[in-house]
Amino acid sequence: MTAYVRYESEGRACWGVVDDEVVAELAAPPFAGEARTERRLPLERVRLLAPTTPSKVIAVGLNYRSHLGERNAPTEPGLFAKLPSSIVGPETPIRIPLDARTVHAEGELVLVIGRTAHHVRREDVHHHIFGVTAGNDVSERDWQRDDLQWLRAKGSDSFGPLGPRIVTGAGWDDLRLRTRLNGQVVQDARTSDLIFSIPEIVAYASRYFTLLPGDVIYTGTPGTTASLSPGDRVEVEVEGVGVLANPVEAGQ
């Protein structure tokens, strides 16, 4: 497996590949292949950013049986969109809008597209996925229930934490996913429990949206989700990827 990051260095955003806790700078995003520069920095000395800057942020709802409750299992992936401006990186605060009342964390495995995908067959999906990372599909439940669309509920600023790294070569069909709130495990599942598999999700989405390198798909959240309040700290851990940690603050 290979791990890629985006990080801030000397006031600019850089791409890098991680090797033995050292970041080797890349001259360009890695989706079309690595082009390393001569620059190296210790990983502990860089501030990590969200590991991609997607043009599209797609998500799948109700994709674990443990999250269905009394609802019937869907017959096809239930897609919705988050805004690219909702994406934030590790340790960046999740800011709860002042008029929000019921904000929940949703830990998820997130796919990162590496090659343009349009009407892709399931058996070819692996050619179009660059890697996986961890994500938090932060959601305001009252807005999700009452608004005409889920735009506020899912797409508000900071409602899409992502990171800490993109990992290639991971066995995405069976990875452990855990969410912790203030150190307590509140979600624990494996991606083998997804109702719709990763090939099914990407093939289905690519029928309707041309997926570009760097775009992401949140694949769904398991179990019961946890309510967030200012002062909390939420962590999403994906096996082989690492821990995406974000504090929670009151917004404006």
Side-chain angles (χ1 to χ4, degrees):
M1 295 191 297
T2 305
Y4 295 91
V5 294
R6 282 180 67 247
Y7 61 97
E8 186 179 284
S9 177
E10 297 179 351
R12 64 188 180 96
C14 304
W15 289 88
V17 58
V18 180
D19 186 14
D20 290 332
E21 300 303 308
V22 173
V23 180
E25 184 184 64
L26 299 177
F31 307 120
E34 283 187 22
R36 300 191 184 199
T37 72
E38 297 299 317
R39 194 165 186 229
R40 304 288 186 272
L41 288 170
L43 181 61
E44 63 183 14
R45 287 180 49 197
V46 304
R47 185 175 80 86
L48 293 181
L49 306 173
T52 182
T53 54
S55 70
K56 285 180 284 298
V57 183
I58 296 171
V60 186
L62 302 178
N63 203 23
Y64 284 86
R65 294 189 185 279
S66 60
H67 190 59
L68 289 176
E70 299 299 319
R71 294 164 290 202
N72 293 325
T75 57
E76 57 187 20
L79 303 182
F80 59 92
K82 297 172 75 73
L83 293 177
S85 54
S86 72
I87 298 295
V88 293
E91 298 299 340
T92 300
I94 297 166
R95 291 191 168 91
I96 297 179
L98 293 180
D99 55 344
R101 296 180 296 274
T102 312
V103 176
H104 281 207
E106 297 189 12
E108 309 200 7
L109 175 76
V110 178
L111 313 178
V112 182
I113 301 299
R115 178 180 170 191
T116 300
H118 181 65
H119 283 281
V120 177
R121 299 181 304 172
R122 291 182 191 177
E123 56 266 34
D124 294 330
V125 161
H126 65 283
H127 294 302
H128 297 267
I129 297 176
F130 179 74
V132 296
T133 188
N136 188 345
D137 175 23
V138 179
S139 307
E140 211 290 354
R141 296 301 188 209
D142 293 337
W143 298 345
Q144 190 175 357
R145 182 193 64 224
D146 297 336
D147 286 3
L148 178 64
Q149 299 288 339
W150 287 0
L151 188 62
R152 278 199 307 167
K154 297 284 193 174
S156 291
D157 287 353
S158 78
F159 275 24
L162 201 65
R165 60 187 73 192
I166 302 169
V167 173
T168 63
W172 59 59
D173 55 342
D174 189 21
L175 297 174
R176 190 177 185 183
L177 166 68
R178 284 178 289 181
T179 305
R180 290 183 289 270
L181 181 61
N182 301 324
Q184 179 180 354
V185 175
V186 292
Q187 292 179 301
D188 192 346
R190 300 197 71 87
T191 57
S192 54
D193 296 330
L194 287 168
I195 295 173
F196 297 102
S197 69
I198 286 169
E200 288 176 298
I201 292 168
V202 176
Y204 181 81
S206 75
R207 293 185 206 168
Y208 309 103
F209 319 106
T210 299
L211 304 173
L212 302 176
D215 286 350
V216 296
I217 302 178
Y218 287 64
T219 59
T221 200
T224 302
T225 60
S227 180
L228 299 178
S229 300
D232 286 342
R233 182 175 178 82
V234 59
E235 298 173 327
V236 179
E237 181 175 7
V238 173
E239 181 180 1
V241 172
V243 178
L244 168 67
N246 299 89
V248 182
E249 296 182 356
Q252 297 180 346

